[in-house]
Amino acid sequence: MTVKIDGKAVAASIRAELKVEADRIKKEKGDEICLAVVLVGDNPASHVYVRLKEKACHEAGFISVQHTLPKEISMEELLSLIERLNNDPKVNGILVQLPLPAHLDESKVLDRIDVDKDVDGFHPLNVGLLSQKLAKLMPCTPAGCVELLDRYHIPIEGSHAVIVGRSNIVGKPVAVMLIHRNATVTICHSRSKNLAQITSQADILVAAIGKPNFITRDMVKEGAAVIDVGTTKVGNNIVGDVDYANVYDKAGWITPVPGGVGPMTIAMLMYNTMMAYKIQRKLLV
Ligand code: NAP
């Protein structure tokens, strides 16, 4: 029987676990875990994401400080805010909501975030540490995928994991994380040949493509764990990369969209903010 992976419920458990820890830290050390969120401009989707992150902070017992800046802000002004947040000992994590307006250089902005406050895990140093299995702050969506596999006790070691998508924010880091967990990993992309033949060998299939219903029933191995990262707006709905209705009963486990990987991304952001606090207070061994 297929198991539907409930990302919403797992994310709620993670926030609850973090709240217990945050409350204990506040009581014992007087510290409050704080995430600073920088939002530039008036992109409606970005405003929605920032509100969700604020809500998650509240539920995890963290403080969320929002810096909303006009879309015309200069690079210098934005970098000077990042610098202030880097130097503020009360701020544990810094998140710059993407995309930024076109005149702002995203990679320059992200590179300026203190590597120990980089809760998105996008700083080149953290990317390098991840590839060496030394990262403490890992990108949230890939970490959320692996956490779902773990919480559902899906075997990773020795499995064949096929990742469709090779982006820096999802495909590549999830592949690296699964290699570190001793999976045999195949990465596919738009130039891959015989895609269905490869995906249908996967014990774990991660779809991070951005094409609605792209992964069809014939592309999935019987009993596979299917993790759908894709989110594409189709009319008023958010649609995943996997043809969920037709793949469902062939899979062993499957994430729905919405309610699968999406909520985990924000939960792992909270996890990283706690981790950043511990790094800064030298509480990690
Ligand atoms: P991206 O940067 O556009 O990368 C998409 C990847 O899919 C690329 O590597 C591309 O290959 C590959 N691809 C495109 N068409 C393909 C095809 N026909 N066959 C095989 N591979 C193909 O996207 P992303 O940022 O990784 O995001 C992927 C999806 O996940 C999007 O829907 C995004 O909205 C969603 N997402 C969700 C969350 C969440 O929290 N749930 C977070 C991040 C992203 P090439 O490299 O060859 O172009």
Side-chain angles (χ1 to χ4, degrees):
M1 211 182 75
T2 306
V3 176
K4 177 178 169 183
I5 296 179
D6 188 346
K8 227 171 146 181
V10 175
S13 303
I14 292 171
R15 290 194 301 272
E17 289 158 21
L18 289 169
K19 183 161 189 332
V20 170
E21 214 176 347
D23 290 349
R24 184 181 52 74
I25 289 168
K26 190 173 174 187
K27 199 167 151 213
E28 289 176 6
K29 297 184 186 295
D31 291 337
E32 291 194 273
I33 317 294
C34 172
L35 174 67
V37 178
V38 179
L39 175 58
V40 184
D42 42 24
N43 179 329
S46 293
H47 278 261
V48 171
Y49 288 131
V50 166
R51 270 203 301 279
L52 289 174
K53 286 166 189 175
E54 257 188 322
K55 186 167 171 269
C57 272
H58 179 71
E59 285 167 5
F62 299 178
I63 294 178
S64 146
V65 181
Q66 195 181 314
H67 297 267
T68 308
L69 308 168
K71 63 175 182 296
E72 312 73 36
I73 194 163
S74 69
M75 192 67 182
E76 290 68 32
E77 287 170 298
L78 180 55
L79 291 180
S80 115
L81 170 64
I82 303 286
E83 211 50 46
R84 262 196 293 128
L85 298 173
N86 281 342
N87 293 325
D88 184 343
K90 285 193 155 46
V91 171
N92 302 116
I94 302 170
L95 179 126
V96 177
Q97 184 63 48
L98 302 179
L100 291 172
H103 69 283
L104 299 168
D105 182 336
E106 272 181 13
S107 69
K108 242 189 199 155
V109 173
L110 298 181
D111 288 3
R112 277 298 182 90
I113 295 174
D114 183 328
V115 69
D116 289 341
K117 296 189 177 186
D118 168 39
V119 283
D120 254 339
F122 292 159
H123 192 288
L125 200 61
N126 279 325
V127 175
L129 288 169
L130 175 64
S131 79
Q132 297 178 7
K133 211 181 170 181
L134 294 171
K136 296 190 177 77
L137 298 173
M138 294 189 238
C140 301
T141 303
C145 295
V146 177
E147 189 69 22
L148 283 178
L149 296 171
D150 283 340
R151 298 250 174 174
Y152 278 81
H153 308 291
I154 297 165
I156 299 177
E157 178 158 334
S159 69
H160 183 196
V162 174
I163 320 297
V164 190
R166 57 174 165 180
S167 72
N168 289 333
I169 60 165
V170 190
K172 267 189 257 177
V174 86
V176 171
M177 287 177 202
L178 292 173
I179 290 170
H180 292 158
R181 294 290 302 276
N182 298 320
T184 302
V185 175
T186 304
I187 304 177
C188 302
H189 45 76
S190 67
R191 315 287 170 88
S192 296
K193 295 207 168 93
N194 306 320
L195 190 63
Q197 200 186 322
I198 301 168
T199 57
S200 55
Q201 291 172 34
D203 303 307
I204 297 172
L205 178 59
V206 180
I209 312 159
K211 296 213 153 101
N213 300 319
F214 182 88
I215 301 288
T216 47
R217 188 178 171 88
D218 58 305
M219 297 171 84
V220 176
K221 180 178 169 179
E222 191 86 44
V226 180
I227 306 293
D228 189 353
V229 182
T231 49
T232 306
K233 198 152 190 258
V234 180
N236 286 329
N237 299 320
I238 298 291
V239 179
D241 288 342
V242 176
D243 177 5
Y244 184 86
N246 291 308
V247 168
Y248 183 85
D249 67 346
K250 196 174 181 191
W253 299 263
I254 188 165
T255 60
V257 176
V261 173
M264 289 300 290
T265 298
I266 299 181
M268 297 318 284
L269 175 69
M270 301 300 116
Y271 176 87
N272 275 353
T273 306
M274 174 64 82
M275 190 58 114
Y277 164 80
K278 291 179 184 172
I279 295 170
Q280 288 146 34
R281 297 288 184 277
K282 303 197 174 3
L283 298 174
L284 295 174
V285 279

